[in-house]
């Protein structure tokens, strides 16, 4: 993998952003044709298309930084699970539609402020990808918010399902705003934001929205993390073989 | 086609002189190429035939998401994944436009969905075949969408306004579908021996089912004659099938793929290809529910509908709550 | 009570400053989600810059029987159409 000639922290940043988008895009693309209503088949596919598009920008950039000729496709389809840098949240299985919407909500609520902050990155390529993605993420969050509020404060069953989804997924949300040494180094260089500030914004937003949705998060729940440094949950080990199968079974083939 | 076996009220086509004034005025409008709109008077048979045809067409788009959707998570590159996702998404959109067109005739989308899920309503036989390899995604775009376009282009001129407008939008959006399929095939035939083999295997399996899409010969059919008189159908099934073969064989030649029909040969006199007989037994079996994937397709649609009930109801519950709150506040 | 989502009519204004145009319909549980759905369903190809949604039941349409009294009179006002006037070729394009 990385050799050291290039900026390793910038490489890691692009992988983290790109892998989050890729894995979540892969997850929600599986709903196409199976959503609860036709309008959602279409809308969710739009979100998936945005995310996979973003992934190809971030991963293409990561390949450039690395300078060893790897393309976005090489990085997406030929890396092993331990080399993926997405957070644990996005790789969690789709579950019922409530889980899918809650996972999206918890992600979007971090993704948008993160992208907005990255538009101020000292690296102009990062800033450009972030600016394009932030426009898309603005709508993603709007949609997620609309659904979580409505279904949380909807029927008894929809409330129960959304609360259940929150209980399962909430522990994974913490990883998004939990800074490690790479995040700190990125912030020091002006390449990335202070995750602490984004975390504070995230908390304030969640308190406000979950109240509207009549849902309760367990703020004391221990954070489940590791994906950012390649320590994944078992779920990723099932997603990748499916996604990468064709590329791996026909090495070197052009599609 | 997407509506392969639509029965109209087959009583034979009446001449203008045999018609009551209202029906005569209606038929004269159709003859003059004036569109019929939802609130206009129309014969009950016209309305019923349209509901059947449009809803069958819509159901086909909806079920049609499944065979290709089967490969979204396994598409070989990020770009292919996005293209396929956008295409399957378009199919959902087309189903949506068509359901809306049918709804203008007084049937709700939920009613049509119930008819599909109960097995009462039909959808195109083609979607009951499995997508076994990536090449099938190419073959579907190239052959299945190619056949679909052949049928849909004339439907833009259908006498019923909402259907015609939906078809105009659909045809515009579909223009990239066939090309992306052919593009996949081109990459495969230029690729490794395994890829080329995959491409040949795909045309072997999809050729005949694609020809079945046009439905059995209807030259002598009363239903067909009535649909044509009403401006719902413009061409006979055989006519479109021939056009499809004539257009597609040279495309297969270009790819270096063999069309799996020993009777296929150019007929200089007709300026068209002669081709073998479609296995209509297979067609009727698939239509009856005995195709390779009928059970899986219906199970997938039923699961989506049943599992999604709480979502649809939950949002309605919220909408009602909100209305009550607003009313209380006033 | 029926749980079928109500039907909405969608109007989109395109890039070129033309008026909102009816593009189709969709189902949605409330007006905000109708707007979201309209964006996702009807502007996938960058078709619009502004969307209106109206509940279908809130639209009042003219009855087809009124077609003649409502629209026939304007047929007689041929002077509203530019081709009514003969402009000499020498004048050039007008």
């Amino acid at each position: 993998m990385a050799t050291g000639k290039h900026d390793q922290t910038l490489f890691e940043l692009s992988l983290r952003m790109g892998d989050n988008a890729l894995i979540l895009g892969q997850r929600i693309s599986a709903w196409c044709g199976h959503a609860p209503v036709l309008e959602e088949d279409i809308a969710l596919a739009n979100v998936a298309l945005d995310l996979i598009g973003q992934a190809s920008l971030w991963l293409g950039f990561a390949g450039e930084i690395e300078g060893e000729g790897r393309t976005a496709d090489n990085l997406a389809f030929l890396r092993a699970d331990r080399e993926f840098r997405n957070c644990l949240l996005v790789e969690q299985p789709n579950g019922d539609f409530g889980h899918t919407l809650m996972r999206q909500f918890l992600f979007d609520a971090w993704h948008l402020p993160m992208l907005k902050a990255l538009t101020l990155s000292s690296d102009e390529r990062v800033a450009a990808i972030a600016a394009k993605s932030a426009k898309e993420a603005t709508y993603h969050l709007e949609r997620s918010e609309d659904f979580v509020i409505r279904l949380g404060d909807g029927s008894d069953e929809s409330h129960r399902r959304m609360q259940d989804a929150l209980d399962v997924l909430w522990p994974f949300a913490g990883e998004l705003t939990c800074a490690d040494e790479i995040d700190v180094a990125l912030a020091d260089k002006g390449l990335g934001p202070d995750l602490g500030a984004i975390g504070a914004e995230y908390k304030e937003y969640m308190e406000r929205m979950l109240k509207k949705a009549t849902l309760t998060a367990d703020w004391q729940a221990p954070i489940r993390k590791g994906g950012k440094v390649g320590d994944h949950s078992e779920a990723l080990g099932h997603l990748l073989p499916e996604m990468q199968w064709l590329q791996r079974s026909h090495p070197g083939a052009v599609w | 086609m997407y509506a392969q076996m639509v029965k109209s009220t087959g009583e034979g086509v009446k001449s203008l002189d045999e018609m009551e004034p209202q029906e005569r005025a209606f038929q004269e409008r159709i003859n003059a190429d004036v569109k019929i709109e939802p609130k206009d008077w129309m014969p009950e048979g016209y309305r019923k035939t349209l509901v059947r045809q449009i809803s069958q067409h819509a159901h086909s788009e909806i079920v049609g998401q499944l065979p290709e959707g089967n490969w979204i998570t396994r598409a070989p590159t990020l770009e292919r994944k996005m293209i396929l996702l956008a295409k399957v998404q378009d199919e959902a959109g087309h189903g949506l436009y068509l359901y809306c067109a049918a709804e203008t005739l007084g049937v709700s989308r939920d009613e049509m969905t119930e008819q599909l899920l109960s097995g009462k309503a039909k959808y195109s036989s083609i979607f009951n075949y499995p997508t076994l390899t990536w090449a099938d995604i190419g073959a579907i775009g190239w052959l299945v969408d190619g056949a679909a376009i052949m049928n849909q282009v004339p439907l833009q001129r259908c006498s019923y306004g909402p259907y015609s407008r939906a078809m105009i939008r659909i045809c515009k959006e579909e223009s990239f579908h066939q090309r992306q399929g052919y593009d996949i095939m081109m990459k495969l035939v230029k690729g490794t021996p395994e890829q080329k083999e995959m491409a040949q295997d795909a045309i072997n399996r999809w050729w005949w089912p694609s020809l079945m899409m046009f439905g059995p010969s209807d030259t002598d059919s009363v239903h067909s004659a009535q649909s044509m008189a009403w401006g719902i159908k413009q061409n006979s099934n055989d006519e479109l099938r021939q056009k499809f073969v004539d257009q597609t064989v040279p495309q297969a030649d270009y790819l270096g793929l063999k069309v799996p029909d020993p009777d296929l040969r150019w007929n200089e006199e007709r300026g068209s290809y002669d081709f073998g007989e479609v296995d209509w037994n297979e067609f009727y079996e698939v239509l009856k529910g005995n195709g390779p994937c009928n059970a899986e397709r219906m199970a997938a649609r039923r699961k989506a509908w049943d599992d999604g009930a709480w979502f649809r109801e939950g949002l309605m519950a919220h909408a009602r709550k909100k209305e009550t709150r607003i009313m209380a506040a006033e | 009570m029926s749980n079928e989502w109500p039907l909405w009519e969608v109007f989109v204004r395109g890039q070129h400053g033309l008026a909102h145009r009816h593009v189709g319909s969709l189902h949605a549980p409330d007006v905000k989600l109708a707007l979201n759905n309209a964006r996702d369903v009807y502007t996938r190809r960058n078709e619009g810059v502004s969307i209106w949604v109206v509940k279908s039941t809130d639209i009042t349409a003219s009855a087809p029987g009124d077609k003649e009294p409502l629209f026939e009179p304007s047929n007689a006002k041929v002077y509203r159409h530019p081709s009514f006037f003969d402009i000499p070729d020498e004048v050039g394009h007008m």
Side-chain angles (χ1 to χ4, degrees):
Chain A
M1 220 188 72
T3 51
K5 282 184 212 137
H6 59 265
D7 186 335
Q8 182 66 21
T9 54
L10 196 55
F11 179 70
E12 288 287 331
L13 173 71
S14 327
L15 287 187
R16 286 176 180 188
M17 295 305 291
D19 288 345
N20 278 336
L22 175 62
I23 300 302
L24 188 56
Q26 171 76 2
R27 278 284 185 229
I28 59 177
S29 70
W31 278 104
C32 195
H34 305 272
V37 68
L38 208 36
E39 281 78 359
E40 265 315 290
D41 276 321
I42 299 168
L44 210 51
N46 274 342
V47 180
L49 282 169
D50 286 345
L51 289 172
I52 297 166
Q54 292 174 18
S56 66
L57 293 176
W58 286 117
L59 295 180
F61 179 51
E64 264 175 53
I65 302 168
E66 188 189 39
E68 288 175 9
R70 286 205 285 183
T71 62
D73 279 338
N74 294 155
L75 288 168
F77 294 96
L78 299 173
R79 267 181 306 154
D81 18 3
R82 302 286 284 169
E83 297 171 274
F84 271 77
R85 293 292 180 262
N86 58 281
C87 61
L88 296 181
L89 176 69
V90 296
E91 70 197 35
Q92 296 314 302
N94 282 342
D96 71 1
F97 205 61
H99 276 68
T100 291
L101 293 176
M102 183 57 77
R103 185 185 58 199
Q104 191 71 38
F105 175 64
L106 296 175
F107 177 77
D108 293 340
W110 164 81
H111 199 209
L112 180 59
M114 180 71 184
L115 288 168
K116 280 187 175 163
L118 285 174
T119 61
L120 307 172
S121 170
S122 56
D123 186 293
E124 59 186 26
R125 293 161 300 177
V126 170
I129 299 174
K132 183 189 178 291
S133 309
K135 285 183 201 149
E136 296 167 345
T138 303
Y139 179 63
H140 300 171
L141 180 58
E142 188 182 323
R143 248 179 62 84
S144 291
E145 198 182 289
D146 285 341
F147 280 137
V148 168
I149 291 173
R150 281 165 175 72
L151 292 167
D153 184 20
S155 65
D156 290 345
E157 185 179 3
S158 73
H159 175 83
R160 178 179 61 70
R161 283 179 185 264
M162 294 313 280
Q163 184 61 55
D164 179 57
L166 183 63
D167 293 343
V168 172
L169 295 167
W170 181 252
F172 296 104
E175 184 180 13
L176 294 163
T177 56
C178 192
D180 62 8
E181 60 271 31
I182 291 172
D183 295 307
V184 172
L186 284 164
D188 286 346
K189 291 187 224 171
L191 288 167
D194 168 15
L195 269 193
I198 290 183
E201 196 184 321
Y202 190 78
K203 183 166 186 286
E204 183 277 325
Y205 174 85
M206 278 298 157
E207 280 171 341
R208 202 155 38 86
M209 286 306 148
L210 292 177
K211 189 168 172 235
K212 273 194 177 179
T214 69
L215 299 172
T216 11
D218 177 6
W219 295 92
Q220 306 309 319
I223 293 174
R224 295 184 61 181
K225 60 177 181 176
K228 275 161 78 162
V229 291
D231 293 334
H232 291 279
S233 58
E234 288 179 348
L236 188 68
H238 294 273
L239 180 149
L240 290 182
E242 181 179 346
M243 183 174 83
Q244 300 180 332
W245 172 71
L246 261 182
Q247 285 269 359
R248 289 191 181 272
S249 55
H250 299 265
V254 177
W255 303 93
Chain B
M1 172 49 44
Y2 277 13
Q4 287 159 320
M5 295 280 286
V6 180
K7 290 206 169 78
S8 66
T9 50
E11 288 153 4
V13 183
K14 277 193 238 170
S15 72
L16 283 176
D17 295 336
E18 293 170 289
M19 293 176 186
E20 298 296 319
Q22 207 168 23
E23 188 175 359
R24 187 185 167 120
F26 166 85
Q27 187 62 51
E28 279 170 343
R29 282 181 67 187
I30 289 180
N31 297 348
D33 263 342
V34 178
K35 296 278 182 247
I36 306 300
E37 295 297 336
K39 289 179 120 191
D40 293 336
W41 183 88
M42 59 186 81
E44 190 50 22
Y46 177 82
R47 197 188 69 83
K48 276 194 180 150
T49 306
L50 271 174
V51 169
R52 266 190 225 128
Q53 173 160 340
I54 302 172
S55 60
Q56 257 188 48
H57 195 161
H59 296 329
S60 299
E61 298 280 358
I62 299 312
V63 179
Q65 294 180 88
L66 301 172
E68 288 174 284
N70 184 35
W71 279 88
I72 292 174
T73 57
R74 292 179 291 167
T77 69
L78 294 175
E79 190 181 65
R80 289 283 180 212
K81 194 187 287 292
M82 289 190 275
I83 295 170
L84 183 58
L85 191 50
K87 178 178 187 270
V88 178
Q89 181 197 40
D90 274 351
E91 274 146 26
H94 299 167
L96 188 150
Y97 308 156
L98 289 162
Y99 280 131
C100 288
E103 281 180 284
T104 63
L105 292 159
V107 53
S108 77
R109 192 202 289 178
D110 278 9
E111 285 171 60
M112 289 184 272
T113 305
E114 299 294 344
Q115 286 168 0
L116 172 69
L117 299 184
S118 69
K120 209 178 136 213
K122 299 281 175 243
Y123 56 90
S124 177
S125 55
I126 193 75
F127 302 118
N128 292 313
Y129 291 87
T131 49
L132 303 177
T133 73
W134 173 250
D136 290 7
I137 300 307
I140 289 184
W142 171 36
L143 300 174
V144 175
D145 288 297
I149 291 166
M150 203 128 272
N151 185 261
Q152 290 176 342
V153 166
L155 280 175
Q156 294 178 98
R157 289 183 283 116
C158 168
S159 61
Y160 187 58
Y163 192 25
S164 150
R165 289 191 285 274
M167 290 315 305
I168 290 171
R169 195 176 180 95
I170 289 171
C171 286
K172 203 169 108 194
E173 295 186 352
E174 286 240 335
S175 54
F176 91 88
H177 292 184
Q178 192 186 14
R179 282 162 167 261
Q180 67 86 34
Y182 199 70
D183 187 61
I184 290 176
M185 298 306 274
M186 286 204 295
K187 281 277 175 1
L188 293 175
V189 298
K190 285 185 205 149
T192 64
E194 289 84 6
Q195 284 176 303
K196 181 147 194 206
E197 201 178 308
M198 213 186 267
Q200 182 61 53
D201 171 56
I203 186 177
N204 290 350
R205 283 182 289 110
W206 289 94
W207 176 258
W208 290 107
S210 298
L211 294 195
M212 291 176 201
M213 286 176 69
F214 297 93
S217 178
D218 60 349
T219 330
D220 307 319
S221 151
V222 191
H223 304 304
S224 200
Q226 179 62 76
S227 283
M228 283 196 187
W230 278 335
I232 295 174
K233 194 179 163 101
Q234 322 276 349
N235 311 81
S236 79
N237 295 349
D238 287 333
E239 218 178 304
L240 291 170
R241 187 172 10 252
Q242 179 71 59
K243 204 173 154 196
F244 174 74
V245 171
D246 289 345
Q247 177 189 290
T248 311
V249 171
Q251 295 167 352
D253 290 344
Y254 180 84
L255 292 172
L257 295 177
K258 199 175 151 9
V259 174
D261 178 358
D263 298 323
L264 182 81
R265 58 184 55 85
W266 177 250
N267 183 326
E268 193 65 56
E269 219 169 290
R270 291 201 303 127
S272 264
Y273 283 93
D274 292 337
F275 56 96
E277 185 62 24
V278 173
D279 179 356
W280 292 112
N281 278 336
E282 177 180 324
F283 171 76
Y284 288 114
E285 281 303 308
V286 175
L287 221 56
K288 261 197 280 177
N290 302 325
C293 295
N294 295 61
E296 289 91 329
R297 301 291 184 244
M298 290 313 292
R301 287 312 304 166
R302 270 188 217 114
K303 184 174 188 321
W305 186 248
D306 294 344
D307 289 358
W310 72 270
F311 170 82
R312 297 189 302 273
E313 286 160 16
L315 292 176
M316 278 311 284
H318 180 84
R320 281 189 215 110
K321 267 190 204 175
K322 205 154 54 180
E323 250 170 59
T324 319
R325 280 177 208 150
I326 291 168
M327 278 180 8
E330 279 167 356
Chain C
M1 192 178 278
S2 160
N3 272 311
E4 177 150 19
W5 291 358
L7 194 63
W8 304 76
E9 300 302 323
V10 182
F11 300 81
V12 170
R13 177 152 56 76
Q15 314 275 4
H16 308 295
L18 295 174
H20 284 78
R21 196 169 69 86
H22 183 240
V23 292
S25 331
L26 49 77
H27 288 270
D30 62 45
V31 67
K32 175 61 183 15
L33 296 183
L35 213 48
N36 287 2
N37 289 347
R39 179 241 182 230
D40 281 313
V41 172
Y42 288 104
T43 66
R44 297 202 301 287
R45 286 171 169 79
N46 205 17
E47 291 97 331
V49 291
S50 164
I51 303 172
W52 291 346
V53 288
V54 187
K55 229 183 206 171
S56 306
T57 48
D58 287 344
I59 290 184
T60 311
S62 62
D66 296 341
K67 202 181 280 179
E68 290 181 8
L70 281 183
F71 306 117
E72 208 95 307
S74 64
N75 263 348
K77 300 181 177 64
V78 286
Y79 46 80
R80 284 195 196 274
H81 299 276
S83 55
F84 177 72
F85 305 95
D86 282 327
I87 304 289
D89 287 345
E90 302 89 278
V91 179
H93 178 72
M94 187 175 283

